[in-house]
């Protein structure tokens, strides 16, 4: 028995009774995902080791009877490259579930992202330097309440509401830092509430997703309302899986109004234990008050995975982001910088 398991059992023994232990179950799980990379950021080249969203998690459920269950899930990121850092800011929820669906409280990815961008990030589960840099994640995570429906005819619905609680939020546009234009007071504001709704459809080889998000931020210089609408489709043709999403993003504020379109195409072909991956994404230039600025970007990735088992794989990829002169999508880049990485890695699930 590991030290972690003994610690969790001790906590349960203090907080409950032996009867509660008999009705409950707690699982420890996680992912260690590490790459060695040669990167080029603008004009600078370097070698690096990266932790690609490595985490450890605890998941538990208690049967309350009558079809009702209580559960929790805690996940914390840590640096698999250097062992640094650990908290539960990746995922933290308590939930109640039954025949009518599941109610969740805490912090977690909202349904619109999971139904669209995350669903077709097949080669490395949307982690690390090859993750989707162009998708606009509008919902400010944390202080959330969510309802997820049961499956009806292959369709699952989810609704999320984020309580503002005067939580600090830095306002900006995906890929653009507004601080030089508006100053610190113009971009540091208060999260004033957010809403997210999504639908997922799965029927054999066909998958469809729809997601809408709205969030409001109040800053000293202006208030901003952000919205996104995403659509996704995927289809499996034997060993070949194809996927695509489209996203519309809009920001309305007192000093600027702008909008943007983005999309991504992805393909995976499996051959025994091997997987061959390719995807390309495009964020078009911002329109409206930012019309004329060079804010478009393209990202593409070629990858190969070899599955040593159901839980362990070795892989490699080449990924590149070409940014316009006035935008900075991707890790570590400054405005107008391009990003490129050649990586090899190992991922293990437990």
């Amino acid at each position: 028995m590991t030290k972690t398991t003994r610690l969790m059992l001790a906590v349960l023994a203090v907080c409950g009774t032996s009867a509660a232990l008999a009705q409950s179950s707690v699982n420890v799980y996680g992912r260690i995902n590490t790459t060695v990379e040669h990167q080029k950021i603008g004009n600078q080249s370097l070698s690096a080791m990266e932790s690609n969203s490595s985490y450890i998690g605890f998941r538990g459920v208690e049967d309350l009877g009558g079809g009702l269950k209580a559960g929790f899930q805690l996940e914390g990121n840590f640096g698999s490259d250097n062992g640094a850092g650990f908290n539960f800011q990746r995922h933290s929820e308590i939930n109640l579930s039954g025949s009518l669906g599941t109610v969740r409280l805490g912090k977690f990815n909202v349904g619109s992202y999971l139904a669209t961008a995350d669903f077709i990030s097949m080669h490395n589960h949307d982690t690390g330097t090859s993750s989707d840099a162009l998708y606009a994640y509008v919902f400010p995570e944390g202080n959330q309440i969510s309802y997820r429906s049961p499956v009806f005819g292959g369709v699952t619905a989810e609704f999320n509401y984020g309580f503002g609680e005067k939580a600090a939020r830095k306002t900006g546009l995906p890929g653009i830092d507004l601080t030089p234009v508006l100053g610190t007071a113009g971009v540091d504001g208060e999260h004033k509430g957010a809403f997210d709704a999504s639908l997922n459809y799965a029927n054999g080889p066909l998958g469809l997703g729809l997601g809408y998000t709205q969030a409001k931020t109040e800053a000293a210089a202006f208030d901003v309302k952000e919205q996104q609408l995403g659509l996704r489709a995927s289809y499996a043709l034997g060993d070949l899986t194809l996927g695509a999403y489209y996203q519309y993003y809009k920001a309305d504020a007192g000093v600027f109004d702008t909008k943007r379109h983005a999309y991504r195409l992805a393909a995976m072909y499996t051959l025994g234990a091997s997987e061959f991956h390719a995807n390309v994404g495009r964020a078009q230039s911002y329109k409206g008050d930012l019309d004329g600025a060079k804010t478009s970007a393209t990202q593409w990735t070629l990858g190969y995975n070899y599955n040593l088992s159901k839980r362990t794989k070795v892989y490699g990829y080449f990924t590149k982001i070409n940014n316009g002169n006035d935008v900075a999508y991707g890790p570590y880049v400054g405005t107008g910088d391009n990003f490129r990485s050649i990586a090899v890695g190992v991922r293990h699930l437990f």
Side-chain angles (χ1 to χ4, degrees):
M1 182 181 295
T2 66
K3 292 183 179 180
T4 301
T5 304
R6 288 198 297 269
L7 176 61
M8 293 301 299
L9 291 175
V11 171
L12 288 171
V14 172
C15 296
T17 65
S18 60
L21 279 174
Q23 299 170 12
S24 304
S25 64
V26 177
N27 295 318
V28 181
Y29 65 96
R31 174 174 69 200
I32 302 176
N33 192 7
T34 308
T35 51
V36 176
E37 307 188 17
H38 184 268
Q39 301 172 353
K40 186 175 182 181
I41 307 167
N43 295 322
Q44 180 184 7
S45 296
L46 70 155
S47 297
M49 181 175 288
E50 297 279 354
S51 174
N52 302 308
S53 296
S54 297
Y55 64 84
I56 185 170
F58 306 90
R59 184 188 292 115
V61 62
E62 180 184 12
D63 190 343
L64 302 175
L68 184 63
K69 296 181 179 181
F72 75 91
Q73 186 174 351
L74 299 172
E75 287 184 9
N77 281 321
F78 65 93
S80 60
D81 55 338
N82 57 19
F86 181 79
N87 55 56
F88 289 124
Q89 293 184 3
R90 174 183 169 88
H91 191 122
S92 176
E93 75 164 90
I94 189 168
N95 59 67
L96 290 172
S97 61
S99 61
L100 298 180
T102 303
V103 176
R104 309 160 69 200
L105 304 173
K107 178 180 179 179
F108 33 82
N109 286 327
V110 291
S112 60
Y113 165 73
L114 297 175
T116 54
D118 182 69
F119 203 97
I120 66 166
S121 294
M122 297 177 282
H123 74 283
N124 203 18
H125 299 278
D126 205 22
T127 64
T129 56
S130 66
S131 62
D132 187 345
L134 308 181
Y135 178 84
Y137 194 104
V138 172
F139 198 95
E141 288 186 314
N143 303 312
Q144 298 166 234
I145 181 170
S146 166
Y147 166 74
R148 179 183 294 161
S149 76
V151 180
F152 296 105
V155 177
T156 305
E158 185 171 341
F159 304 93
N160 284 263
Y161 179 76
F163 296 89
E165 296 190 6
K166 298 186 180 296
R169 186 187 185 204
K170 188 175 181 65
T171 298
L173 305 176
I176 296 179
D177 183 5
L178 295 175
T179 306
V181 179
L182 302 175
T184 301
V187 298
D188 291 339
E190 293 180 356
H191 161 38
K192 303 299 289 185
F195 172 77
D196 184 272
S198 64
L199 293 173
N200 248 319
Y201 173 75
N203 185 5
L206 176 64
L208 301 172
L210 170 67
Y212 171 78
T213 314
Q214 176 180 298
K216 295 182 180 180
T217 303
E218 181 180 284
F222 64 94
D223 298 338
V224 60
K225 176 182 176 181
E226 294 176 274
Q227 301 177 77
Q228 75 83 27
L229 176 66
L231 304 170
R232 182 264 308 174
S234 57
Y235 197 83
L237 297 164
D239 295 327
L240 177 64
T241 302
L242 302 174
Y245 80 75
Y246 160 80
Q247 184 187 44
Y248 172 77
Y249 169 84
K250 184 178 181 180
D252 299 315
V255 293
F256 69 88
D257 296 303
T258 189
K259 58 185 178 181
R260 187 212 71 175
H261 303 273
Y263 51 86
R264 183 171 294 274
L265 306 173
M268 174 181 69
Y269 181 76
T270 60
L271 183 64
S274 296
E275 298 174 2
F276 301 88
H277 295 266
N279 66 74
V280 60
R282 174 74 174 174
Q284 296 182 348
S285 293
Y286 284 99
K287 302 299 182 182
D289 290 335
L290 295 180
D291 196 14
K294 296 179 180 180
T295 55
S296 63
T298 302
Q299 179 183 17
W300 60 276
T301 302
L302 296 175
Y304 171 76
N305 298 346
Y306 186 82
N307 295 290
L308 299 170
S309 70
K310 291 184 178 180
R311 296 188 300 166
T312 304
K313 72 176 183 180
V314 292
Y315 62 92
Y317 62 77
F318 176 90
T319 188
K320 188 174 184 181
I321 303 172
N322 293 322
N323 282 309
N325 292 337
D326 302 311
V327 75
Y329 291 105
Y332 316 125
V333 300
T335 300
D337 287 342
N338 296 329
F339 177 83
R340 184 203 71 194
S341 180
I342 302 172
V344 293
V346 181
R347 189 205 69 185
H348 175 71
L349 305 176
F350 62 91

